[in-house]
């Protein structure tokens, strides 16, 4: 009874697993297919990848997407880290809770609300739609996740560490750069990383604030997918799958790094 | 004295973050509400709300959107609960969990695009139907395909919170229930399910709210057969340029979001990656 039960359970899990991955594998398989549709596999070819690398518009969009992602995640990490430090400094519980609730608004709001309200905001301030508005939006929606990743690290840090450094004559810049920042570095790294993936993945917010001249990969995929099947998109998905794989591995190593870091510091404290 | 100085310096560091809250959290929401009181010519009016509440089209659209979000959430829950439950019993639950979450790292639009190929007239889904002896169907651009793809995309976001609450469940409750003579079904319905309800609520919240606003799927997969609140907002903002009406629907969506959050208990933020608890 229990053996049969066990098999059924695993079968179900495998079923869900296959359903989740089949469409992705399907996409990548057809990126190597001769022909124009995703209906029958017509033999192996690299042609769609060659088309992809010859498509200068797409490469420019790819570089723009990368630039927005890097810039926005760096800036969001700076603002978010300072924000987390500030939140941990607040002494009154009500201030802290208000700040945390405000911080979470952009995390729970649906993307269309963020996109539409940012569009009104940029128009009201007469900020032209394009690279600048997309960058500002990406910074804005990445900040809360950075705060959430950094804040636990800041709260874990003991006050006496800062007091000791101050007693030994460190000024406030030294306190920040040589005591606080190194201590909370794992949190900052995972925050940066999350911000990066948020930015690379975003479609809805960008779609609202992008205007006419500027585009990111997600927006471009959307407009091409509306025109129907084009195996160049399959080739693109193959590359983006590789990129996602690299990001997952990167995230894994950041986590490993921070857990090793934590172990090292607790061992140090025990001595 | 020194500490005071340090505090004032800390306040200076804090300025960018507070500016962000003011400019990008509070101001846009206020502007959205403000905009909802203006008509297409820029005159102050309550007309948008009047139109919304007196028009069958808008009210039916809202009901439809809530109904589809409900169906998507239900489908996701029915698939995800057993998944999380079985996951918890495997030898390497963390590895399985990672594998279930991995697809969320792939761009949503690429996944939607894959289904355009799978569900197309001569696509693999229809080839399968023919293989088992059925006539090919129009699958793409139907309500079914919209619900299917939306559920497909949302499954990992439902599995994760449910798995978390199942893995925290103390097995001795289950053993006690069995020792006291409960059947498997009684153990599940009276012990396991109530104790994992917080995870289910978190999952429902994480799936229901985005389901109200998935406008790209209604366009790519639903073929405009399904109009969600999100589709209506996108349409008003980017196609008909009637921002006032779009903002009014936006306010309705915010209200719907607050209602769902209060029903499912607080804001359990959905992190897109699911890797952070």
């Amino acid at each position: 009874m229990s053996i049969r039960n066990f098999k059924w359970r695993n079968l179900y899990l495998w079923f869900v697993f296959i359903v989740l991955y089949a469409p992705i594998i399907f996409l990548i398989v057809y990126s190597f297919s001769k022909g124009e549709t995703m209906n029958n596999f017509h033999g192996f070819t690299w042609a769609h990848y060659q088309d992809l690398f010859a498509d200068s518009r797409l490469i420019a969009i790819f570089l723009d997407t990368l630039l927005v992602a890097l810039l926005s995640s760096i800036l969001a990490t700076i603002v978010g880290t300072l924000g987390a430090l500030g939140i941990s400094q607040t002494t009154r519980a009500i201030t802290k809770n208000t700040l945390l609730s405000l911080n979470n608004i952009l995390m729970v709001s649906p993307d269309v609300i963020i996109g539409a309200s940012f569009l009104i905001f940029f128009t009201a301030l007469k900020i032209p739609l394009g690279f600048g508005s997309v960058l500002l939006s990406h910074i804005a929606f990445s900040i809360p996740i950075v705060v959430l990743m950094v804040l636990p690290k800041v709260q874990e840090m003991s006050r006496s560490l800062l007091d000791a450094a101050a007693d030994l004559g460190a000024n406030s810049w030294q306190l920040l750069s040589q005591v606080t920042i190194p201590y909370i570095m794992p949190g900052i790294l995972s925050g940066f990383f999350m911000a990066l993936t948020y930015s690379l993945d975003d479609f809805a917010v960008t779609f609202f604030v992008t205007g006419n001249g500027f585009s990111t990969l997600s927006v471009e995929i959307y407009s091409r997918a509306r025109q129907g099947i084009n195996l160049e998109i399959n080739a693109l998905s193959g590359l983006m799958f590789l990129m996602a794989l690299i990001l997952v591995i990167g995230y894994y190593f950041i986590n490993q790094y921070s857990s090793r870091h934590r172990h090292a510091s607790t061992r140090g404290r025990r001595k | 004295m020194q500490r005071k100085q340090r505090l004032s310096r800390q306040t200076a560091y804090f300025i960018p973050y507070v500016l962000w809250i003011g400019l990008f959290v509070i101001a846009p929401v206020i502007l959205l509400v403000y905009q909802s009181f203006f008509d297409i010519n820029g005159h102050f009016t309550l007309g948008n709300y009047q139109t919304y509440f007196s028009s069958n089209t808008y009210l039916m659209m809202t009901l439809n959107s809530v109904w589809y979000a409900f169906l998507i959430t239900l489908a996701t829950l029915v698939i995800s609960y057993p998944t999380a439950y079985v996951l918890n019993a495997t030898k390497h639950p963390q590895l399985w969990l990672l594998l279930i979450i991995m697809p969320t790292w792939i761009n949503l639009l690429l996944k939607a695009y894959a289904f355009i190929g799978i569900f197309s007239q001569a696509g693999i889904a229809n080839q399968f139907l023919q293989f088992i002896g059925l006539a090919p169907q129009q699958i793409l651009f139907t309500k079914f395909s919209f619900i299917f793809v939306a559920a497909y995309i949302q499954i990992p976001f439902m599995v994760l919170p449910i798995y978390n609450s199942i893995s925290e469940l103390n097995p001795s409750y289950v053993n006690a229930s069995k020792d006291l003579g409960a059947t498997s079904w009684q153990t599940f319905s009276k012990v396991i399910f109530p104790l994992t309800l917080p995870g289910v609520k978190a999952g429902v919240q994480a799936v229901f709210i985005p389901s109200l606003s998935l406008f790209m799927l209604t366009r790519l997969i639903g073929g405009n057969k399904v109009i969600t609140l999100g589709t209506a907002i996108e349409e008003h903002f980017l196609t008909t340029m009637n921002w006032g009406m779009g903002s009014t629907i936006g306010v309705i969506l915010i209200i719907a979001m607050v209602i769902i959050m209060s029903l499912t208990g607080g804001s359990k933020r959905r992190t897109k990656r699911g890797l952070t608890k």
Side-chain angles (χ1 to χ4, degrees):
Chain A
M1 165 70 198
S2 85
I3 289 172
R4 213 175 64 202
N5 202 3
F6 189 65
K7 270 187 182 165
W8 276 110
R9 289 173 151 201
N10 270 351
L11 197 68
Y12 182 72
L13 204 54
W14 276 105
F15 172 73
V16 172
F17 174 74
I18 288 167
V19 168
L20 282 177
Y21 280 87
I24 299 165
I25 291 164
F26 177 78
L27 262 190
I28 296 173
V29 166
Y30 274 97
S31 72
F32 297 109
S33 166
K34 284 178 191 156
E36 295 299 316
T37 60
M38 283 198 264
N39 297 336
N40 292 296
F41 197 84
H42 292 288
F44 184 87
T45 176
W46 285 105
H48 305 298
Y49 286 89
Q50 282 161 355
D51 287 349
L52 189 68
F53 287 112
D55 189 338
S56 56
R57 176 183 154 80
L58 206 62
I59 289 174
I61 290 173
F62 173 73
L63 292 176
D64 280 343
T65 310
L66 218 56
L67 185 69
V68 168
L70 279 174
L71 277 179
S72 70
S73 46
I74 288 170
L75 290 168
T77 306
I78 294 171
V79 178
T81 305
L82 294 178
L85 289 171
I87 289 175
S88 72
Q89 293 281 324
T90 52
T91 41
R92 290 199 313 180
I94 183 158
T95 324
K96 184 178 266 180
N97 287 336
T98 312
L99 283 172
L100 283 174
S101 314
L102 287 171
N103 188 64
N104 284 352
I105 285 184
L106 287 189
M107 301 217 53
V108 291
S109 302
D111 291 346
V112 269
I113 294 289
I114 301 177
S117 62
F118 280 8
L119 177 61
I120 302 174
F121 174 75
F122 290 133
T123 314
L125 289 185
K126 302 207 163 47
I127 295 173
L129 299 181
F131 177 79
S133 61
V134 172
L135 180 65
L136 280 174
S137 311
H138 282 217
I139 296 172
F141 69 62
S142 302
I143 286 175
I145 184 70
V146 176
V147 172
L148 290 179
M149 304 301 266
V150 176
L151 198 58
K153 276 269 144 200
V154 179
Q155 279 164 344
E156 186 189 296
M157 189 171 73
S158 143
R159 268 226 73 89
S160 47
L161 221 62
L162 286 179
D163 288 336
D167 284 347
L168 292 169
N171 60 33
S172 55
W173 170 245
Q174 286 171 319
L175 278 184
L176 183 71
S177 64
Q178 295 186 12
V179 182
T180 310
I181 298 286
Y183 190 90
I184 61 175
M185 203 57 192
I188 295 177
L189 277 179
S190 11
F192 168 76
F193 191 79
M194 281 293 173
L196 195 69
T197 57
Y198 267 44
S199 170
L200 285 174
D201 227 34
D202 178 70
F203 165 69
V205 179
T206 313
F207 189 65
F208 271 87
V209 299
T210 191
N212 281 328
F214 186 77
S215 190
T216 64
L217 272 184
S218 297
V219 176
E220 181 71 10
I221 295 169
Y222 177 73
S223 56
R224 289 194 185 195
R226 290 198 75 176
Q227 289 156 19
I229 305 291
N230 173 358
L231 293 187
E232 205 180 314
I233 306 181
N234 291 56
L236 183 64
S237 71
L239 292 185
M240 286 176 80
F241 181 76
L242 269 182
M243 203 159 83
L245 217 59
I246 292 169
L247 284 175
V248 172
I249 294 167
Y251 188 78
Y252 175 78
F253 277 108
I254 287 175
N255 268 355
Q256 291 290 98
Y257 166 79
S258 45
S259 68
R260 227 182 314 140
H261 189 88
R262 194 155 51 233
H263 282 190
S265 64
T266 45
R267 232 177 303 148
R269 218 174 288 154
R270 267 193 213 118
K271 250 186 242 169
Chain B
M1 178 63 208
Q2 204 179 14
R3 191 168 234 184
K4 208 175 205 173
Q5 213 174 20
R6 207 159 83 204
L7 274 180
S8 71
R9 186 63 74 93
Q10 293 285 9
T11 322
Y13 294 144
F14 206 21
I15 288 172
Y17 180 71
V18 174
L19 264 179
W20 166 76
I21 287 188
L23 284 177
F24 288 97
V25 179
I26 298 172
V29 176
I30 292 175
L31 280 171
L32 187 83
V33 177
Y34 178 77
Q35 185 79 46
S36 72
F37 292 108
F38 286 86
D39 66 13
I40 198 161
N41 302 314
H43 299 300
F44 182 86
T45 173
L46 286 170
N48 292 326
Y49 288 94
Q50 201 183 1
T51 314
Y52 178 85
F53 284 108
S54 60
S55 141
N56 265 335
T57 323
Y58 281 118
L59 292 175
M60 280 311 289
M61 180 272 292
T62 310
L63 271 181
N64 254 322
S65 182
V66 171
W67 172 242
Y68 280 110
F70 170 76
L71 289 179
I72 294 166
T73 312
L74 189 70
T76 318
L77 180 64
V78 167
I79 297 165
S80 301
Y81 198 97
T83 309
Y85 191 79
V86 176
L87 198 67
N88 188 47
T90 56
K91 273 187 197 150
H92 306 286
Q94 289 301 327
L95 179 70
W96 274 105
L97 194 64
L98 187 71
L99 287 174
I100 299 278
I101 289 167
M102 266 277 280
T104 65
W105 289 66
I106 310 291
N107 196 306
L108 184 148
L109 290 155
L110 288 178
K111 287 183 281 190
Y113 170 74
F115 280 101
I116 298 180
I118 292 170
F119 284 160
S120 66
Q121 281 294 340
I124 198 167
N126 268 326
Q127 287 170 16
F128 177 74
L129 282 183
Q130 273 178 312
F131 179 74
I132 58 170
L134 292 172
Q137 309 262 330
Q138 170 71 35
I139 308 176
L140 192 64
F141 305 143
T142 60
K143 292 162 183 172
F144 164 79
S145 62
F146 171 70
I147 295 171
F148 187 95
V149 177
Y152 166 80
I153 285 167
Q154 309 266 29
I155 284 172
F157 299 111
M158 183 70 95
V159 172
L160 187 80
I162 297 178
Y163 168 77
N164 282 339
S165 63
I166 291 180
S167 68
E168 280 162 17
L169 179 75
N170 190 339
S172 45
Y173 289 129
V174 179
N175 293 336
S177 158
K178 281 181 183 153
D179 284 349
L180 292 169
T183 61
S184 304
W185 171 249
Q186 283 172 326
T187 307
F188 177 75
S189 64
K190 306 265 187 212
V191 180
I192 299 174
F193 191 74
L195 283 173
T196 53
L197 201 59
V200 173
K201 282 182 172 178
V204 166
Q205 192 184 81
V207 170
F208 201 98
I209 296 174
S211 297
L212 290 172
S213 60
L214 286 170
F215 72 89
M216 45 293 201
L217 289 191
T218 62
R219 296 252 189 262
L220 292 176
I221 304 291
N224 293 338
K225 293 262 182 354
V226 184
I227 309 282
T228 62
L229 287 169
T231 322
I233 294 172
E234 188 252 357
E235 182 91 20
H236 280 106
F237 268 91
L238 300 176
T239 312
T240 62
M241 295 306 230
N242 185 353
W243 288 15
M245 197 63 219
S247 302
T248 306
I249 301 169
V251 172
I252 303 287
L253 178 53
I254 292 175
I255 293 169
M257 180 184 100
V258 172
I259 293 173
I260 293 154
M261 271 163 45
S262 60
L263 287 179
T264 51
S267 69
K268 297 174 192 71
R269 57 191 179 264
R270 153 179 175 164
T271 50
K272 281 187 187 158
R273 296 301 160 204
L275 279 177
T276 50
K277 279 182 202 166

